[in-house]
Amino acid sequence: MTIAPTLQRYMADKGIPYDLISHDRAMTSLGNANAGHVPRDRLAKGVMLSDGQHYMLAVMPASHHLRLSDLKTELGQELRLASEDEIVEVFRDCDRGAIPPVGSCYGLEVIVENSMDGQQDVYFEGGDHATLVHIKGDDFARLNPKAQHGSFSERIS
């Protein structure tokens, strides 16, 4: 079980307790929720975006798909999905595609889907495809203290 060093230091600095849950390797957020036996609505995933000059992290439940048009409305700016190369450059200490939904420790602005607010427990990838980080919902809010909040995703049926 591993957690990205950047995330681990950040959580220690914030005094946020966490548990690690080891599971069979999975390559998608829904796969991680299933493999880790956690509710899809409580597994937070991050999607890195770009406006051409800056990066941003959109955070939503694994049970949701991002709606870029709604995000544009929320933020008042055009965004695109970041490329794999851009993601690897920012999240250098994470496995490809296993980014934590904690943009603050990586210097990213963050917007959190409203449906993540009020969750009692939150789970997320901590930098690899075989470990989930489990924290209390209140602590998750402390990980991205300057995050904007909005409605920009749609539940997968």
Side-chain angles (χ1 to χ4, degrees):
M1 293 191 295
T2 62
I3 182 170
T6 302
L7 177 63
Q8 188 173 32
R9 279 189 303 276
Y10 185 73
M11 291 177 69
D13 289 348
K14 293 267 187 195
I16 295 177
Y18 62 91
D19 299 311
L20 297 180
I21 300 169
S22 181
H23 61 80
D24 290 336
R25 187 171 170 81
M27 298 304 291
T28 66
S29 55
L30 287 176
N32 280 303
N34 291 334
H37 305 288
V38 301
R40 300 179 325 158
D41 287 339
R42 293 188 182 175
L43 189 126
K45 66 178 178 181
V47 177
M48 196 168 105
L49 306 161
S50 174
D51 66 2
Q53 296 181 335
H54 304 97
Y55 297 117
M56 171 177 253
L57 195 66
V59 176
M60 69 206 80
S63 59
H64 287 221
H65 279 301
L66 175 69
R67 292 188 314 225
L68 276 173
S69 59
D70 289 355
L71 194 57
K72 178 183 177 183
T73 301
E74 286 283 339
L75 299 172
Q77 68 185 57
E78 194 73 41
L79 294 163
R80 65 166 173 78
L81 296 175
S83 71
E84 277 295 316
D85 289 341
E86 290 171 313
I87 295 167
V88 168
E89 182 67 26
V90 172
F91 291 92
R92 292 180 178 165
D93 60 351
C94 298
D95 290 350
R96 184 178 286 264
I99 64 172
V102 184
S104 299
C105 59
Y106 290 92
L108 299 175
E109 291 183 33
V110 178
I111 184 165
V112 177
E113 168 62 45
N114 288 333
S115 62
M116 290 298 307
D117 296 338
Q119 291 287 357
Q120 237 180 344
D121 294 286
V122 176
Y123 303 83
F124 56 88
E125 284 184 292
D128 73 11
H129 293 288
T131 308
L132 292 177
V133 178
H134 167 237
I135 63 175
K136 295 295 180 193
D138 292 345
D139 288 332
F140 185 70
R142 289 177 44 215
L143 287 177
N144 293 303
K146 296 179 182 176
Q148 299 177 59
H149 293 261
S151 180
F152 55 85
S153 70
E154 178 177 48
R155 188 174 180 79
I156 302 166
S157 40

